[in-house]
Amino acid sequence: MTAEAVALGMEPATPAKYDRRHGRYRVLLSARLHSPLGASTAVLLDISEGGALVSCPAPIAQGTHVVLTRGHMQVHGRVARVEGRRLGVEFDAPIDSRLVADVVTPIARWAN
């Protein structure tokens, strides 16, 4: 966890069964997921510098390139795993921890 995250009081979600390079932060936020099939509403369930877990009503296959947007955040990635409506998105390149901190606001952290 970065010093910034500690200063903001952010607590990472426990990386239960997946090998993680970055600590994940549980959130429950609306987002948009853009894929070759079009744009869809989504719920951002967790986020880190390297990826995110989203819930999406539209079925999107593993390996599909997507763009996740939330506010001013726009991140390109690919669907690394599919578990029902939950999609594990691996970002093409890690995002800055300050961008994660912008997304993980004190209001969004109520679920942690």
Side-chain angles (χ1 to χ4, degrees):
M1 184 172 357
T2 66
E4 254 181 314
V6 172
L8 290 171
M10 297 188 310
E11 304 241 351
T14 304
K17 61 181 179 178
Y18 300 104
D19 183 28
R20 303 279 189 220
R21 290 183 207 150
H22 307 281
R24 294 200 167 238
Y25 300 93
R26 288 181 297 223
V27 294
L28 190 59
L29 299 167
S30 62
R32 298 281 295 167
L33 196 61
H34 306 265
S35 76
L37 302 173
S40 178
T41 59
V43 177
L44 185 59
L45 302 172
D46 74 28
I47 188 166
S48 75
E49 289 92 344
L53 179 65
V54 298
S55 177
C56 181
I60 300 176
Q62 186 172 344
T64 302
H65 283 45
V66 295
V67 178
L68 177 65
T69 58
R70 162 77 186 163
H72 66 276
M73 179 188 78
Q74 184 175 23
V75 187
H76 293 257
R78 69 171 184 83
V79 177
R81 134 181 133 259
V82 177
E83 295 174 353
R85 289 186 172 189
R86 292 180 174 209
L87 308 174
V89 177
E90 180 181 359
F91 299 151
D92 290 345
I95 60 174
D96 191 283
S97 62
R98 290 173 292 194
L99 184 55
V100 174
D102 285 347
V103 173
V104 183
T105 64
I107 293 171
R109 288 187 286 116
W110 66 270
N112 284 337

